[in-house]
Amino acid sequence: MRKHFSIPLSILMLACGAAHAQEKGITCWYFQNELGMTEHANCLQYTDKALHVRPAELKKLYFTDNYASLYSKEHGFMYVNRQGQVVVEQVMEMEMGADYINHGFVRFIRNGKCGYAALLGKDPTIPPQFDGCYPFIGEKALVCNGCKEFTEKEHSLYRGGTSFCINPRGQQISCDSYPQ
């Protein structure tokens, strides 16, 4: 009889350990005015299989256009909405922070490719499929495939490969009037 209880008890102990680890949360960093980016233990948690900012931390975030940026080692830079739900993670890093929202889009990376997450308006997210992505300027963004990133002074740029412009739906368009 004892043997029958030992297996379920060990499974229960593992499940409780996993639940406790999930309750603990994920450490994150976010900007706090003159303090700069500060560390906050247990800032993020999974609820209903989605990543959220804990309510106590949500009150401390600085929101622009209904979104706030933060960072975690596990998820990189990310944006959260006012309800605390992480809406995009692995956002490209710009000037020691998350990429800026430009014309409703923010650039993000998945498996070494970049794409655009639509945060504002009616446009869909453009899946990560490019080797290089520049921000949207108006209705156009310059992208490249086969290019390599390099740094010139404090700016990241792309060289080589094939460059072309896309519209907010991810369709290839003319680069006429796109600032170079």
Side-chain angles (χ1 to χ4, degrees):
M1 189 66 115
R2 189 173 207 206
K3 198 175 200 180
H4 293 285
F5 289 113
S6 64
I7 292 172
L9 183 58
S10 64
I11 292 171
L12 180 62
M13 289 172 65
L14 285 172
C16 288
H20 176 69
Q22 194 150 331
E23 280 178 23
K24 184 178 177 188
I26 299 168
T27 297
C28 75
W29 289 258
Y30 54 82
F31 286 100
Q32 289 194 292
N33 298 325
E34 68 279 348
L35 298 175
M37 214 164 189
T38 57
E39 182 176 357
H40 303 271
N42 304 321
C43 171
L44 296 164
Q45 65 184 5
Y46 281 98
T47 57
D48 300 323
K49 297 184 182 178
L51 192 57
H52 285 80
V53 175
R54 291 185 182 262
E57 300 297 332
L58 186 61
K59 293 183 238 176
K60 301 174 190 173
L61 296 178
Y62 175 75
F63 285 86
T64 304
D65 293 326
N66 293 316
Y67 297 95
S69 67
L70 51 119
Y71 174 84
S72 82
K73 289 180 184 176
E74 298 86 349
H75 302 278
F77 281 99
M78 63 193 87
Y79 276 98
V80 299
N81 62 21
R82 289 190 182 274
Q83 291 73 43
Q85 182 180 3
V86 174
V87 294
V88 61
E89 55 187 83
Q90 299 302 325
V91 170
M92 291 178 74
E93 183 178 337
M94 302 301 294
E95 298 177 16
M96 302 301 295
D99 187 32
Y100 303 111
I101 300 169
N102 284 303
H103 300 279
F105 287 96
V106 65
R107 298 173 292 165
F108 69 101
I109 303 284
R110 294 283 187 290
N111 300 319
K113 298 286 186 176
C114 58
Y116 298 85
L119 297 181
L120 309 173
K122 62 189 179 327
D123 296 311
T125 292
I126 301 168
Q129 56 191 301
F130 310 108
D131 293 322
C133 296
Y134 286 100
F136 267 89
I137 297 176
E139 294 287 309
K140 295 180 182 184
L142 183 63
V143 297
C144 58
N145 283 320
C147 54
K148 299 290 181 202
E149 185 177 8
F150 74 99
T151 303
E152 186 174 282
K153 297 183 182 176
E154 69 272 1
H155 300 286
S156 292
L157 304 167
Y158 301 100
R159 269 199 191 133
T162 304
S163 296
F164 54 96
C165 286
I166 59 170
N167 66 17
R169 288 168 294 295
Q171 301 163 328
Q172 189 170 340
I173 58 171
S174 166
C175 284
D176 290 346
S177 77
Y178 188 85
Q180 297 295 331

